[in-house]
Amino acid sequence: MLGGMDGWRTIIEPFRIHAVEPVRLTTREERLEAVEAAGYNLFDVHAQDVLIDLLTDSGTGAMSRDQWAAIQHGDESYAGSPSWYTFLESVQVLFPYRHVIPTHQGRAAEKILFSVIGGPGKVIPNNTHFDTTRANVEASGAEAVDLVIAEGREPSLIHPFKGNMDTESLDRLLTARPGDVPVVFVTITNNSGGGQPVSLANLRAVRAVCDRHKVPLFLDACRFAENAWFVKEREEGQGDRSIPDIVRDFAALADGMTMSAKKDGLANIGGWLAMNDDALAEKCRTLLILTEGFVTYGGLAGRDLEAIAQGLREVVDEDYLRYRVRSTAYLGDALDASGIPTVRPVGGHAVYIDARALLPHIPPLAYPGQALAVALYVEGGIRGCEIGTVMFGRQPDGSETAAAMDLVRLAIPRRTYTQSHIDYVIEVVQAVAARAKDISGYRIVSEPAALRHFTARFAPLAA
Ligand SMILES: Cc1ncc(COP(=O)(O)O)c(C=O)c1O
């Protein structure tokens, strides 16, 4: 399966276990009680009541021996800590932008950037905005527009780079709204669109459109290493190149980036905002000091900066990336072979089950993704995440519409679960799929004004 150096089929994790955490086994009755008490919102279920936690790959991975050792080097000086310079060097080896602004996580970088460049009347295109990105754009008064290629909206369609941006639509938008687009964003990999990669050729084409309209281009680079691995595997002419070289090509095509180090920083917390524009950096640093902290630590402790610096060295390792992408595909391929509809091909960090296709009797406004996520939890204690109408259905004008897709994301924490854990997940999903007809939809009982999926409460509809 791994198809490693010697071509063996079996995936082996390229590490062995050094410290263990217990997983608490629960019964079906206990889980039913826990999910009812949580208003059928899995974000409100206590983590100790979860058996296999696939809610997110964000900050949930295992750190390496060398990251824990690096933490001991953390220097907590307020200004100019050596840990800051270690972090800065590690970031700039891959992303050589002039200004690097540390933040406590990705959304803090988004908040600062869009507070400066967003605002009413502005529009920000992206291949697909992640939920916090969209929320931060909209909180500034600007409009968030998704321009992924048509293939990226077809769950079962095979395409090597389903995260690519539709450059013709981008060109049309920039022509129709001159002066209204302060930045074009491209998310690598495209999380909300199924963890699908973006090709270097596509980013070059996006850059050309941006240049024609004199608009800067930024990366949402959370999963840059996984994206680079797909480029190496799938894009013509890239197979012999090193991962850091491919990453630097992506960086060079853009003018800046936002980053959550909780993904391909292999850390439990952290992020940054980076750019070449001096005037923009100055405005962002002013906001950083207001809300995050001084410019050489952002919202982070010195030890966090050290863990990220070491994580960035490890994440570009080819043995790690080969294992990472192949082991995610192992889950997706097994579900596909059992006839369970998933987003194909499998992305880098997660398998996305097409809940709308699996539960065609549940209309989008009765939340098939939520229904499936709850069923997986009750059946086997697996916590996934609805990415669909609950997450994206509420519009800024208060109306509700079906999202483009209703998916359940099974995100794989990095270096955390073994193949037998994943075999168990496969068995549970198969059992739930076998009784799909009996699963009913949900209605929302209460919800906040924005980002409702985190705290909304639900009630099951009658079968
Ligand atoms: C593509 C993308 N952008 C931004 C974010 C936000 O990062 P954070 O959770 O660190 O705030 C995420 C987090 O999942 C993401 O996947």
Side-chain angles (χ1 to χ4, degrees):
M1 182 58 72
L2 180 56
M5 301 305 281
D6 296 326
W8 295 101
R9 270 187 304 110
T10 305
I11 295 180
I12 72 158
E13 291 80 4
F15 48 82
R16 56 187 183 185
I17 293 163
H18 172 68
V20 296
E21 279 184 277
V23 168
R24 198 171 78 85
L25 303 179
T26 51
T27 63
R28 197 171 205 285
E29 286 63 40
E30 285 171 333
R31 294 193 292 269
L32 211 45
E33 212 172 283
V35 80
E36 271 174 29
Y40 299 92
N41 188 330
L42 297 178
F43 282 99
D44 207 24
V45 169
H46 297 200
Q48 65 163 15
D49 294 330
V50 176
L51 243 151
I52 306 282
D53 205 345
L54 308 183
L55 184 66
T56 174
D57 64 320
S58 179
T60 53
M63 288 207 294
S64 68
R65 173 191 65 187
D66 293 342
Q67 282 178 291
W68 285 109
I71 278 175
Q72 290 296 330
H73 290 274
D75 179 302
E76 306 304 340
S77 304
Y78 187 93
S81 150
S83 299
W84 155 250
Y85 290 104
T86 303
F87 167 86
L88 183 62
E89 188 189 340
S90 239
V91 171
Q92 286 182 327
V93 162
L94 295 169
F95 301 98
Y97 297 119
R98 229 179 0 259
H99 304 282
V100 177
I101 299 173
T103 59
H104 79 275
Q105 62 185 89
R107 69 197 67 184
E110 293 165 357
K111 167 78 179 157
I112 290 170
L113 181 66
F114 296 126
S115 298
V116 174
I117 64 172
K122 296 284 197 296
V123 53
I124 319 271
N126 202 327
N127 43 357
T128 312
H129 288 273
F130 183 65
D131 60 352
T132 61
T133 324
R134 170 172 287 276
N136 274 305
V137 167
E138 289 173 353
S140 81
E143 189 188 339
V145 176
D146 294 336
L147 297 178
V148 73
I149 54 170
E151 293 89 333
R153 297 179 202 270
E154 288 291 329
S156 59
L157 200 136
I158 301 284
H159 183 287
F161 292 104
K162 282 174 92 170
N164 281 353
M165 185 176 253
D166 176 348
T167 49
E168 282 177 23
S169 297
L170 177 66
D171 196 37
R172 271 199 299 278
L173 176 74
L174 293 174
T175 305
R177 305 277 301 262
D180 288 349
V181 183
V183 68
V184 171
F185 252 81
V186 172
T187 303
I188 57 170
T189 58
N190 190 25
N191 182 4
S192 303
Q196 300 292 329
V198 173
S199 69
L200 259 178
N202 182 253
L203 198 70
R204 262 187 226 111
V206 171
R207 174 84 241 179
V209 175
C210 289
D211 285 347
R212 262 203 311 281
H213 294 272
K214 299 192 170 34
V215 172
L217 170 61
F218 268 51
L219 298 173
D220 176 340
C222 294
R223 299 176 181 83
F224 70 87
E226 291 168 13
N227 198 91
W229 177 261
F230 283 119
V231 165
K232 184 178 169 72
E233 272 197 321
R234 296 181 185 169
E235 190 161 353
E236 214 184 312
Q238 302 299 323
D240 293 331
R241 301 190 59 213
S242 79
I243 297 294
D245 275 352
I246 295 172
V247 174
R248 281 187 285 268
D249 274 7
F250 272 87
L253 285 165
D255 302 290
M257 68 189 292
T258 54
M259 176 70 190
S260 168
K262 301 172 73 173
K263 285 83 172 178
D264 277 352
L266 297 182
N268 300 126
I269 196 71
W272 68 85
L273 172 62
M275 64 202 68
N276 287 326
D277 182 327
D278 299 337
L280 177 61
E282 191 179 318
K283 288 184 189 148
C284 291
R285 285 200 174 103
T286 303
L287 279 186
L288 182 86
I289 293 172
L290 275 183
T291 60
E292 289 282 294
F294 187 60
V295 299
T296 61
Y297 72 86
L300 296 168
R303 56 180 168 270
D304 299 324
L305 294 168
E306 294 278 358
I308 298 166
Q310 177 60 23
L312 290 174
R313 284 177 219 124
E314 294 175 13
V315 79
V316 292
D317 177 76
E318 293 192 8
D319 288 341
Y320 161 72
L321 285 170
R322 184 183 297 110
Y323 143 78
R324 170 75 178 152
V325 168
R326 290 300 300 133
S327 60
T328 304
Y330 175 80
L331 171 58
D333 291 347
L335 298 186
D336 187 53
S338 330
I340 295 161
T342 54
V343 174
R344 306 290 298 166
V346 181
H349 68 293
V351 171
Y352 294 70
I353 304 175
D354 184 349
R356 198 178 286 175
L358 185 66
L359 307 173
H361 56 287
I362 303 181
L365 293 188
Y367 315 125
Q370 189 66 21
L372 179 61
V374 171
L376 292 175
Y377 174 72
V378 172
E379 189 79 22
I382 295 161
R383 176 156 68 170
C385 183
E386 192 263 12
I387 304 227
T389 303
V390 174
M391 192 178 269
F392 298 116
R394 184 65 70 205
Q395 304 307 306
D397 68 2
S399 64
E400 190 180 32
T401 53
M405 299 189 258
D406 277 295
L407 307 174
V408 171
R409 184 185 70 179
L410 303 179
I412 316 292
R414 293 168 179 78
R415 307 187 291 201
T416 302
Y417 290 113
T418 64
Q419 188 168 337
S420 64
H421 288 122
I422 299 301
D423 285 335
Y424 169 79
V425 173
I426 294 164
E427 197 181 333
V428 171
V429 180
Q430 286 167 339
V432 168
R435 58 169 193 84
K437 284 195 309 297
D438 306 331
I439 297 172
S440 48
Y442 283 80
R443 65 184 172 84
I444 289 183
V445 176
S446 64
E447 63 179 285
L451 293 174
R452 66 179 181 173
H453 53 288
F454 288 125
T455 54
R457 293 182 75 82
F458 301 83
L461 296 170

